[in-house]
Amino acid sequence: MLRAEAITKIYDHHKTAVIGLRDATFDIPAGDFVAIVGPSGSGKSTLLLMLGGMLSPTSGRVLLEAHSLYDVSPNRRARLRRGNIGFVFQTFNLVPYLTAQENVQVPLFLASVGEAEQEKRAADLLRRVGLGDRLPHKPSELSVGEQQRVALARVLANDPKIILADEPTGNLDPETSAQIMEFLDELNAEGRTIVTVTHDPRAAQRAKHVMRLVGGAIEENEPASMRPAPLTKDVR
């Protein structure tokens, strides 16, 4: 479903070339669950944005099924992204002056879905993530975990085949983190492809494959079952 062919990203930082990603080649088949791990600055978020059609590579290709994402027009790329990919971010990116239900309606509005259907689908999705009683609440009236669940409901609005998640549990307590990862497990069991960036070894262990980046290069790409089991509690 997703394929990277020798993708490299070089940033110009104060007239100095900085390599964000180096010659990465791999396949992510439909229905896979991939955790991208590695130290800060290793290129994880750069890779995720490139897979999602949000950041063009300096060289190489990213393919979504038969489509080379950065060889089509920006409008065509936006349509491919809207029809196939959903994003979950650590910072949630909710619109502060909209209610939970209205936040979930945003992608439906952009897809020209009728207002009545927008409201119904948004309410159904919020009930699915356990927020049926929070429809009229704005983000400031919700807990951090509830805000992330609104973001998850929003990402499902257009029924994406692929979900890209950048540190989806990064701002959450352990119990809420586990709930979010269980929800991603559920979405993967439905046949959706999940790709998540994470620093949490327990979250990575839930994936089917773990891709480790170091210095912008892929150091490992192996089944999660081959990695050591996560610790049962944090060691700080």
Side-chain angles (χ1 to χ4, degrees), residues 65-82:
E65 295 181 334
H67 306 283
S68 180
L69 284 177
Y70 299 99
D71 290 326
V72 299
S73 70
N75 286 340
R76 174 64 173 152
R77 184 162 61 250
R79 289 195 296 272
L80 286 168
R81 190 167 55 235
R82 184 171 62 241

Side-chain angles (χ1 to χ4, degrees), residues 13-49:
H13 184 68
H14 299 302
K15 298 184 179 180
T16 300
V18 177
I19 298 177
L21 195 68
R22 187 194 310 268
D23 196 30
T25 296
F26 56 87
D27 288 289
I28 299 176
D32 206 351
F33 190 156
V34 179
I36 302 173
V37 303
S40 297
S42 60
K44 302 186 300 298
S45 294
T46 291
L47 176 56
L48 199 73
L49 290 172

Side-chain angles (χ1 to χ4, degrees), residues 45 48-49 52 54 81 85-94 129 144-157 160 162-172 180-181 183-184 187 192-198:
S45 294
L48 199 73
L49 290 172
M54 301 287 285
R81 190 167 55 235
I85 301 173
F87 291 88
V88 180
F89 298 100
Q90 181 179 357
T91 52
F92 318 138
N93 290 352
L94 300 178
V129 298
V144 171
E146 288 172 336
Q147 290 179 56
Q148 184 62 294
R149 281 189 279 162
V150 173
L152 282 168
R154 182 183 58 189
V155 84
L156 294 176
I162 302 167
I163 294 175
L164 305 181
D166 194 355
E167 295 284 1
T169 64
N171 288 329
L172 307 179
I180 295 300
M181 292 309 300
F183 193 64
L184 291 178
L187 297 176
R192 302 180 203 268
T193 304
I194 311 292
V195 183
T196 182
V197 165
T198 183

